[in-house]
Amino acid sequence: KGCGFCSGVCTEGNEDGPFGDGYCPEDSEWEYEKCQDSMYGYLSVFFMVAYLLAFGIAMGPLPWTINSEIYPLEHRSLAVSFSTATNWIGNFVVSATFLTISSPSAFTRYGAFWLYGGIALLGLGWLFFALPETKGLSLEEIEALFRRPGDNTMTSGMSSAQRELMAKFTVAAGGH
C-alpha cells in the first residue's frame, strides 16, 4: 500500500491512482508517494504542542481572570455564566464550521485558518483599544472603570439591607 495526494487530500493508492472510485476528480492530478513520512509532519506536531503549552501558560487563563474582575459583585455570577456560555458557543461554532469552511469547495484549509486568524486579529485590535489596564487596582476601582455615566449604583439589583451588609463586610475586611 502507498499513498498520494489528489485535490489536496492524502489518500491511499498506488502508482496508477487512488484506491476506490470517487477519490480523485477527473481534472485533478494524482501525485503518488508525496505524503510519506517527512520531518514536516513531526514539525507540525512539535509546534502544535509548543503552541498549546504556551497558550495554556500565558493567554489561556486571561479571559477567566478578567471575567472574575470586571463585573459588579451583585451581577458577577450571572455575568460570568453568560461569558462562559458565550465562550463555549464560540468554540462550538468554530468546531462545527471548520470542516465545511476548510473544504476545497469553500475556503480550503489555508483559507479557513486565515479567516479564523483574521477574526482573532480583529478581536485583538478591539481588545487593545477597549480593555483598560486593571493591574494593581482593587475590585472597587475596577468596577468604577467599567461603570457608565448614568449608572445608579444605589438602585442596582441589591436591596438596601444587602448593600448595608456588603458595606459592613467590606469595612471589616479592610476596604473603604
Side-chain angles (χ1 to χ4, degrees):
K1 283 187 177 182
C3 67
F5 274 104
C6 183
S7 297
V9 178
C10 185
T11 185
E12 290 185 315
N14 59 22
E15 296 90 5
D16 301 325
F19 297 143
D21 296 330
Y23 284 113
C24 198
E26 294 287 329
D27 59 340
S28 61
E29 183 179 337
W30 171 249
E31 298 180 46
Y32 182 61
E33 292 189 345
K34 292 290 185 174
C35 51
Q36 296 295 328
D37 287 341
S38 71
M39 75 170 201
Y40 297 117
Y42 296 112
L43 276 176
S44 65
V45 170
F46 170 78
F47 283 115
M48 182 181 67
V49 169
Y51 162 77
L52 290 172
L53 286 172
F55 181 80
I57 292 170
M59 295 298 291
L62 277 181
W64 307 109
T65 304
I66 292 170
N67 268 323
S68 68
E69 295 177 345
I70 64 174
Y71 302 116
L73 186 59
E74 66 264 22
H75 303 296
R76 188 166 295 149
S77 60
L78 183 62
V80 168
S81 65
F82 279 127
S83 297
T84 302
T86 302
N87 181 24
W88 283 105
I89 289 169
N91 289 338
F92 173 75
V93 167
V94 169
S95 61
T97 60
F98 178 76
L99 290 177
T100 303
I101 290 176
S102 66
S103 69
S105 62
F107 288 129
T108 71
R109 285 180 291 190
Y110 302 111
F113 281 105
W114 280 107
L115 173 70
Y116 293 134
I119 291 170
L121 282 175
L122 287 174
L124 177 67
W126 178 79
L127 279 177
F128 181 78
F129 292 108
L131 187 66
E133 177 60 60
T134 60
K135 180 179 179 182
L137 300 178
S138 69
L139 289 177
E140 292 81 12
E141 292 169 325
I142 292 171
E143 184 176 334
L145 269 177
F146 290 98
R147 191 173 295 131
R148 296 174 295 174
D151 282 352
N152 188 350
T153 58
M154 297 310 291
T155 59
S156 66
M158 296 173 73
S159 68
S160 61
Q162 288 172 323
R163 281 194 296 277
E164 287 176 24
L165 189 60
M166 185 68 70
K168 184 192 301 184
F169 282 122
T170 302
V171 170
H176 305 300

